[in-house]
C-alpha cells in the first residue's frame, strides 16, 4: 500500500516539473545596481520541481529494492538443483551469424584495401 502511495506521489511530482512557474506581476522598478552583488538567475527556480520528482522516484526505487531483496534471497534458496539435460544440436549458420558476417567481411576487406593503398 505504501509503495502505491509513493508511486502515485512520484508520478504527480514528475508531472509538476513540466508546469511553467507562475509569473508574478510585472511592475517595473528602478534598477539599483550594487557592485559585487551576485544575481540569481530566474531559471534556477524552474529546476526545483524536476529535482523533487527525481528524488521521490529515487526514494521509491530504493525502498522497493530493499523490500525485494528478502524475496529474491528466499527464492534462490528454494530452487532445486538442475537435472542434466540432453544435448541439443544448434545450427551453425544462424541469422545472427549471417548478419555479423555480412557486415564484418566487407568492412575488413575495405579496411585492408585502404591500408594497402598506403604502400603504392
Amino acid at each position: 500500500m505504501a509503495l502505491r502511495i509513493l508511486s502515485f506521489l512520484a508520478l504527480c511530482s514528475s508531472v509538476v516539473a513540466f508546469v511553467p512557474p507562475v509569473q508574478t506581476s510585472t511592475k517595473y522598478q528602478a534598477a539599483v545596481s550594487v557592485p559585487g552583488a551576485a544575481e540569481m538567475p530566474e531559471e534556477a527556480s524552474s529546476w526545483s520541481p524536476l529535482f523533487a520528482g527525481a528524488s521521490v522516484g529515487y526514494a521509491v526505487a530504493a525502498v522497493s529494492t530493499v523490500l525485494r531483496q528478502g524475496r529474491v534471497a528466499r527464492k534462490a534458496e528454494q530452487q532445486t538443483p538442475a537435472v542434466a539435460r540432453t544435448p541439443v544440436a544448434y545450427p551453425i549458420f544462424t541469422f545472427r551469424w549471417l548478419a555479423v558476417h555480412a557486415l564484418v567481411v566487407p568492412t575488413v576487406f575495405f579496411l585492408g584495401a585502404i591500408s594497402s593503398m598506403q604502400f603504392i
Side-chain angles (χ1 to χ4, degrees):
M1 183 66 181
L3 186 61
R4 287 185 182 181
I5 292 172
L6 285 175
S7 300
F8 178 73
L9 290 175
L11 178 66
C12 291
S13 62
S14 63
V15 170
V16 172
F18 298 104
V19 176
V22 178
Q23 297 291 332
T24 58
S25 63
T26 56
K27 294 181 182 178
Y28 296 103
Q29 297 177 354
V32 178
S33 63
V34 177
E39 296 181 10
M40 183 177 166
E42 293 180 17
E43 297 145 1
S45 64
S46 66
W47 286 95
S48 59
L50 183 64
F51 290 137
S55 62
V56 170
Y58 178 78
V60 169
V63 168
S64 66
T65 302
V66 169
L67 294 176
R68 192 171 6 121
Q69 283 179 348
R71 289 183 290 181
V72 171
R74 284 191 295 268
K75 283 185 180 179
E77 292 173 359
Q78 294 174 356
Q79 290 181 353
T80 59
V83 181
R85 298 184 177 138
T86 58
V88 178
Y90 292 105
I92 296 172
F93 300 106
T94 60
F95 182 77
R96 180 177 64 183
W97 187 93
L98 291 172
V100 167
H101 286 78
L103 293 173
V104 170
V105 170
T107 303
V108 171
F109 175 79
F110 285 117
L111 288 176
I114 290 170
S115 63
S116 67
M117 282 187 236
Q118 302 298 320
F119 302 108
I120 293 178

